[in-house]
């Protein structure tokens, strides 16, 4: 079937393909993104993207082990588009993002320049408060605090991705469930419009269904922090999600 949000989704796929491509040949990532996306859009304007959402649902269900029957078509289209384009990017960029600290990194946020050493990556990263992410996405109903890694854009103009880590009332990392954070492709301070397209719109398309979104943007627990919430809390999150859908 033809996408119900064909023009928006085609733009998203083009953005994925441009952002995820190697960029060493370009002096300005921002200008390159705008120029290439506009050129590609003009070339592709008369060829609307087609996605078989029925087949995509079956494939997603087989991969993740839960039903996607009630997931809106727009969300299925986004999942399919991102899955197609992100594999190489994940290998090159997402895996280089900092691991989430097991405790809320308040000291690193208060001492931004000093940062926090990450023993998993063997590197120091700078962190920002990301409570706006907690407030912005209604699916994070279990989060009390959120932190966001600072995109390493000045040192590496090709790297616009960021990590979001969210924490409970005891400042312990939420590793799953409705309150957990996940990574994003474009930091809002770098390219706000593309951040909205690539990182905010999926929550609208998927109606804040954190389980569906986390099937593709998995909360980070590379530091092997204690599973949080426990099984009882996770089941409560699933019940609440079901009641809201």
């Amino acid at each position: 079937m033809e996408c119900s949000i064909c023009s928006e989704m085609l733009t998203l796929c083009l953005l994925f393909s441009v952002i995820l491509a190697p960029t060493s040949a370009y002096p300005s990532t921002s200008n390159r993104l705008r120029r290439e996306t506009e050129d590609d859009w003009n070339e592709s304007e008369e060829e609307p993207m087609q996605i078989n959402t029925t087949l995509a649902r079956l494939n997603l269900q087989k991969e993740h082990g839960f039903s996607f029957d009630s997931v809106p078509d727009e969300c299925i289209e986004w999942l399919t588009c991102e899955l197609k384009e992100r594999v190489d990017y994940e290998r090159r960029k997402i895996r280089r993002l900092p691991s989430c600290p097991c405790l809320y990194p308040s000291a690193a946020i208060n001492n931004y320049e000093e940062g926090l050493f990450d023993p998993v990556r063997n590197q120091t990263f700078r962190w920002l408060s990301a409570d706006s992410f907690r407030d912005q996405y209604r699916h994070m109903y279990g989060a009390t605090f959120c932190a966001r890694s600072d995109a390493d854009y000045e040192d590496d103009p090709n790297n616009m991705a960021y990590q979001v880590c969210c924490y409970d009332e005891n400042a312990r990392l939420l590793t799953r469930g409705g309150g957990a954070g996940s990574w994003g492709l474009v930091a809002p301070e770098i390219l706000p419009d593309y951040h909205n397209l690539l990182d905010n719109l999926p929550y609208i398309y998927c109606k804040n269904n954190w389980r569906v979104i986390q099937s593709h943007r998995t909360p980070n627990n590379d530091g092997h922090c204690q599973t949080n919430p426990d099984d009882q809390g996770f089941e409560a999150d699933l019940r609440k999600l079901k009641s809201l859908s």
Side-chain angles (χ1 to χ4, degrees), residues 85-117:
E85 299 289 353
R86 76 168 192 165
V87 176
D88 185 55
Y89 188 83
E90 180 171 319
R91 178 178 61 81
R92 292 186 293 112
K93 299 294 183 183
I94 301 303
R95 292 182 184 178
R96 289 163 51 188
L97 289 173
S99 60
C100 285
C102 292
L103 295 174
Y104 181 66
S106 56
I109 291 172
N110 293 330
N111 298 280
Y112 169 78
E113 293 298 335
E114 185 175 332
L116 179 68
F117 180 74

Side-chain angles (χ1 to χ4, degrees), residues 6-102:
C6 196
S7 60
E8 287 181 349
M9 201 57 62
L10 178 57
T11 302
L12 283 176
C13 280
L14 289 170
L15 284 174
F16 276 127
S17 63
V18 172
I19 287 177
L20 311 190
T23 57
S24 58
Y26 297 92
S28 171
T29 301
S30 300
N31 291 337
R32 176 184 62 81
L33 281 170
R34 292 189 178 95
R35 182 174 64 252
E36 290 194 0
T37 302
E38 289 171 0
D39 291 345
D40 287 344
W41 173 257
N42 290 333
E43 293 175 3
S44 305
E45 211 167 23
E46 297 181 359
E47 296 182 11
M49 183 181 59
Q50 305 269 328
I51 291 178
N52 185 328
T53 54
T54 301
L55 179 59
R57 277 189 174 84
L58 292 174
N59 290 336
L60 289 165
Q61 181 170 327
K62 182 178 179 180
E63 179 181 355
H64 298 292
F66 61 90
S67 175
F68 283 75
D69 289 348
S70 62
V71 177
D73 284 353
E74 298 93 329
C75 183
I76 296 296
E77 292 158 6
W78 168 73
L79 291 168
T80 305
C81 177
E82 174 159 290
L83 185 62
K84 177 183 176 183
E85 299 289 353
R86 76 168 192 165
V87 176
D88 185 55
Y89 188 83
E90 180 171 319
R91 178 178 61 81
R92 292 186 293 112
K93 299 294 183 183
I94 301 303
R95 292 182 184 178
R96 289 163 51 188
L97 289 173
S99 60
C100 285
C102 292

Side-chain angles (χ1 to χ4, degrees), residues 89 93 96-97 151-153 156-162 185 190:
Y89 188 83
K93 299 294 183 183
R96 289 163 51 188
L97 289 173
D152 193 21
Y153 184 69
D156 180 4
N158 298 333
N159 188 8
M160 296 177 282
Y162 58 92
L185 287 168
I190 297 175

Side-chain angles (χ1 to χ4, degrees), residues 123-205:
Q123 183 179 345
T124 297
F125 293 93
R126 291 174 294 193
W127 290 87
L128 304 164
S129 172
D131 286 347
S132 60
F133 281 79
R134 179 201 63 198
D135 298 333
Q136 179 181 6
Y137 300 142
R138 288 183 293 115
H139 79 286
M140 291 183 181
Y141 42 75
T144 303
F145 312 101
C146 288
R148 174 170 69 87
S149 68
D150 189 18
D152 193 21
Y153 184 69
E154 292 183 3
D155 296 332
D156 180 4
N158 298 333
N159 188 8
M160 296 177 282
Y162 58 92
Q163 186 77 265
V164 175
C165 312
C166 291
Y167 298 81
D168 65 13
E169 67 277 7
N170 297 313
R172 298 177 305 166
L173 178 68
L174 292 162
T175 62
R176 60 179 180 172
S182 59
W183 51 267
L185 287 168
V186 181
E189 68 274 12
I190 297 175
L191 290 171
D193 291 343
Y194 291 171
H195 168 71
N196 285 330
L197 274 171
L198 294 170
D199 296 323
N200 289 345
L201 275 181
Y203 290 89
I204 297 174
Y205 292 154

